[in-house]
Amino acid sequence: MPLDMIVLVKHIYDEDQLKVDQTTGSVSLQGVPGKVSSFDRNALEAALRLRQKLGGTITTLTVGTDEANKSIREALAMGADNAYLIRSNVATGYDARQTVEILIGALSKIPRWDVLICAEGSTDFYTSLLPGMLAERLNLPLLSYMRSLDFDGRSLRGDRSLERKLETVECSLPAIVSVVSEICEPRIPTLLQIMAATKKQISKIDVTELGLQIPPRYKLEGMLVKTVTRKRQIFEGSPSEVALKLYESLSKEGII
Amino acid sequence: MKNNVIVYSEDIELASELLTPAREIATSTGGKVIMIVIYKVEMNDYTRLVGADVIVSVRLPDELGVPTPEFTSAVVADIFKSRGAGFVLLGSTRDGKELAGRLAVILDASAATDCINIQFKENRALVERLVYGGRVLSSGILEAGPFVIGIKPRSYQAIASGPEPSIEEFSIQSPVLKTRVLRSGEAERGSVDLTKADKIVAVGRGLKKKEDLELIHTLAEALGAAVGCSRPLSSDLGWLPEDAHIGLTGIQVKPKLYLAVGISGQLQHLAGIKDSKVIMAINSDKGAPIFQNCDYGAVGDLYQIVPELTKLIKAKR
Amino acid sequence: MYWSEEIKVTEINGRGMVFPFRSLSDYEIKFKPEHEMFRQVVREFAEKEIAPRISYIEEHNEVPADLVNKMLSQGFQGISIPQEYGGQGGDQVTLAIFSEEIARVSPAIVTLMGANGLFVFPLLFYGSEEQKRRYLPQIARGEKRSAHATTEAVAGSDVAGIQTKAEKVNEGWKINGRKAFISGGDVADYFVVLARTSPIANKKERWKGLTFFIVEREREGFHVARHMEKMGLKGSHIVELQLDNVIVPDSNRLGPEGEGFKIAMETYDHGRIGVAAQALGIAQVLFEKCLNYAMQRTTFERPLISHQIIDAYLADMAMKLVSARQLVYWSATLADQGREEYKFAASLAKAYATEAAEWIAEKAISIYGGAGVIVETQVERFLRDVEITKVYEGANEIQRLVIIRQLLKLSLGVDVMSM
């Protein structure tokens, strides 16, 4: 029972290298290097394990500028069979609803698929809106926040991880699945896989080809780094000396 | 524009927090706050739900064990349309976020999740939410309604007192659902809800063996604190349950005291503790990032410092 | 690289500002997209899988078996083995990247994985097709490990002075001798062993008459004699090997009889860049640690980095570090282009990078102060690790000879040895 899978991969600005204005605290994305959204690797790994078990194909979909090719190559190195870049010129990207419409436009150009797997959210803006939106727009079942996933030939099934509950859920194909990072550790590609990936073709669809007119519903106004200045009083010395210092600090802060 | 505000969360405590911003919006639009409660077992007491004008009480059909977001989206959409609502405020839990995505499409609404602050002005919603791993505060605008907004737990406090809401029953046909819940149970949990804990002692990779947790528990007891951990100890080693995991993908806590023992202080962990009032750390590595992000730090061997500290605290009591 | 035959040794002036090369483009460093992708992947592996195990490795002088297996599964032993033999088919730049990124976390593991390159190179360049197929695929897959046994207690730099002998017998060759300081000799399944097959004819031709043999550890009479405790590179072991009447068939002879010295020299030429990169990794990580420490530690009520002496140390570190980096990747680029000049460049890189790394390691301890010698700080271990890099794979004293010999040979066609 092979599965033809789509995996969503997003190329984001690297959260460890954001530019911050020291005086105002305002954050700029200009010239910030990009990387793949970490949880997308978990989603791809989940797909790879299903393919290992059941056979099938994995096609990644990415909406972005040409910069995104870097992340797409990583996905190919991990083992994706095919990759699409839905090319746009908008460096700042699209909001959730726009992204969904673009993805749906692109999906219509992909022959057939059984499951679309994505991360619970992207590590930049983390709206987590995509899975629910896709499910409603495509009128397909959604298994969200999955920490395990399997297919028995008829139903897709697994454990859904909520704050205090664990649900076992199932649905039939085709379906949308969003996964949590606990589902599996992403593999580290070998040199051989990396070299093969640099030779693979990335299929391109230009956003303009999709002929969509979707205005943004959310407009980002500004970003500020949250600053909390910590006292940073560091004590060194013998264990009993530092323990005493910590104890005195607890007292001073009124905690004990 | 339609001016009624719908409030819903599967977590009733969270739902009562949502009533505060709901009330503010309703006041400015001149609308009503309509809270939806979906129950399996009849609720008798709605007095806590201060701030709601109307409670629409929905009984979960027998065949459904839990109100899934798919089911709930149909309920909320139905009530939204029939009640002339323009806003939906949801608790930004995992279920809530799936629900928000669904409603954004069903109602053709502008949506935002994990909002920590919302203001409604001149027919637009100004929302603040944390992005980039919780390090950056973003402000954005949802230009036009209707609005579906997910609010991060503990961003608002429930209204203390006010007039009681009126109750209405609402019945819904058993919908045909595409996703079935076969089983629903408690996730493996510790005894305390860390998000509500006042004091937390958390432990990380500096701990060499599972048995050594004894040391940490003893200190926590002396302090009257709950016990948490960084990701490796729950997810990788399984020494503590998943809900003890504090960090970006785990729980975010806001205690008065957060004492990190043997935790290096990687960014993903810091994202879970940055709202703590006082952060204290014990680590043998002077260069550990935790020391840059704490108020008080002790460099040394936790196996020696923790017992000493425990002794001092117990002596005071 | 030859100028016209008329040039005399002394007439070098005015013949091109980039002597000993001809044009600026000879100094180019070339990277391909897969190089950066591979670097990130090795970095991730090193930080995720190796870094948490360092305390254990240092304390027990042992790399845990599960970590070794993970590395073998990642194909780390087969990086420079061509794909046709089951390897990863990486070039010299790739190997340098691998060595550098792993050395940042564990220089010992670079040697653990890299030592088998000293078996792979001679096999690749001098082995018969049958020999290559017999040994390389299993090494590439990580099923077997290998090592190189030339050095003896009496002969390190003086390869021609080895005492191990191999004599022709009916069944093939009978080898007797004792090898010392053999990296990975405790875990290797296959060895290349250098032995003297014909006596020294005269002082000038001492280097003739040596032959390499492939010896499998199961051969009767072959055993690991002694483990030696070392200063650094904990986790990578060196041993003495005893060969008592070890018999191998002639099909185990590697390369023509009597050509062993040449094969040994070429092998060391090829491994040189990896060692230079190992030292570069040490230099790089220490520089980063010192920079971080100097920003965070305060002394006399200001950060360490605001003191000029510390700035001077850090600046000198940066000079040496970046220079070493350029030399390492430049020599790797030349090697990948198949240019003979890479030997000259590789010697520059090895001598320079290892000495730069040592200097940086000493200064790192100065910058860290007392904390620098504390094991937990993870600074002192790099100084212990770096010392051997100046000595093995061609001692730096020998590198200096090679530099001038290669320079004169390649640029002027002059053999300094015959002067």
Side-chain angles (χ1 to χ4, degrees), chain A residues 13 15-16 18 27 29 39 97 120 123-129 132-133 136-137 139-145 147 157 160-172 180-181 217-226 230-236 239-240 242-244 246-247 249-253 255-256, chain B residues 66 69 93-95 97-98 100-102 104-106 108-110 113-114 127 129-133 135-143 178-187 189 193 199 223 249 257 267 274-280 282 286 291-299 304-305 308-309 312-313 316:
Chain A
Y13 290 105
E15 63 260 31
D16 287 332
L18 301 174
V27 174
L29 299 174
F39 300 154
R97 187 59 192 273
E120 53 157 310
T123 56
D124 54 354
F125 278 81
Y126 207 61
T127 64
S128 308
L129 287 168
M133 286 180 167
E136 285 297 329
R137 278 288 281 112
N139 200 24
L140 291 178
L142 165 63
L143 301 183
S144 65
Y145 297 101
R147 55 180 272 173
R157 190 180 305 117
R160 183 165 179 259
S161 171
L162 299 178
E163 284 80 2
R164 286 188 201 91
K165 291 197 295 181
L166 201 64
E167 296 177 346
T168 305
V169 292
E170 73 171 17
C171 68
S172 47
V180 290
S181 61
R217 304 293 287 262
Y218 172 90
K219 203 173 81 169
L220 178 66
E221 292 277 278
M223 293 193 287
L224 279 180
V225 160
K226 269 197 73 183
R230 296 279 170 197
K231 295 188 179 69
R232 291 195 205 147
Q233 282 188 34
I234 312 295
F235 309 119
E236 291 178 71
S240 33
V242 300
L244 183 61
L246 287 182
Y247 174 78
S249 310
L250 288 170
S251 247
K252 199 171 76 173
E253 293 281 349
I255 293 169
I256 47 167
Chain B
V66 291
T93 55
R94 288 179 168 180
D95 266 347
K97 288 189 275 196
E98 181 187 326
R102 289 180 177 278
V105 167
I106 298 171
D108 193 24
S110 303
T113 56
D114 287 337
V127 296
R129 52 191 305 278
L130 294 176
V131 296
Y132 286 105
R135 257 176 274 177
V136 175
L137 180 65
S138 74
S139 34
I141 300 183
L142 297 176
E143 295 280 0
K178 300 192 207 65
T179 302
R180 298 168 284 289
V181 178
L182 304 176
R183 244 186 327 271
S184 171
E186 295 268 300
R189 54 171 304 163
D193 182 352
K199 289 176 264 201
L223 270 173
T249 54
L257 167 71
L267 279 159
K274 56 188 164 38
D275 292 325
S276 311
K277 187 153 172 301
V278 173
I279 296 180
M280 204 170 255
I282 301 172
K286 206 153 134 162
F291 288 130
Q292 289 307 299
N293 295 280
C294 70
D295 296 292
Y296 305 97
V299 182
Q304 299 197 289
I305 300 177
E308 289 285 331
L309 183 59
L312 288 165
I313 296 170
K316 163 139 190 191

Side-chain angles (χ1 to χ4, degrees), chain A residues 87-99:
Chain A
R87 238 189 119 267
S88 87
N89 281 322
V90 184
T92 43
Y94 299 97
D95 72 15
R97 187 59 192 273
Q98 289 175 310
T99 306

Side-chain angles (χ1 to χ4, degrees), chain A residues 41 185 188-189 191-192 195, chain C residues 41 44 48 74 83 88:
Chain A
R41 295 174 60 198
E185 274 292 300
I188 293 177
L191 174 65
L192 211 57
M195 296 199 297
Chain C
V41 145
E44 190 184 328
K48 198 169 112 178
Q74 280 294 134
Q83 288 178 24
Q88 306 279 310

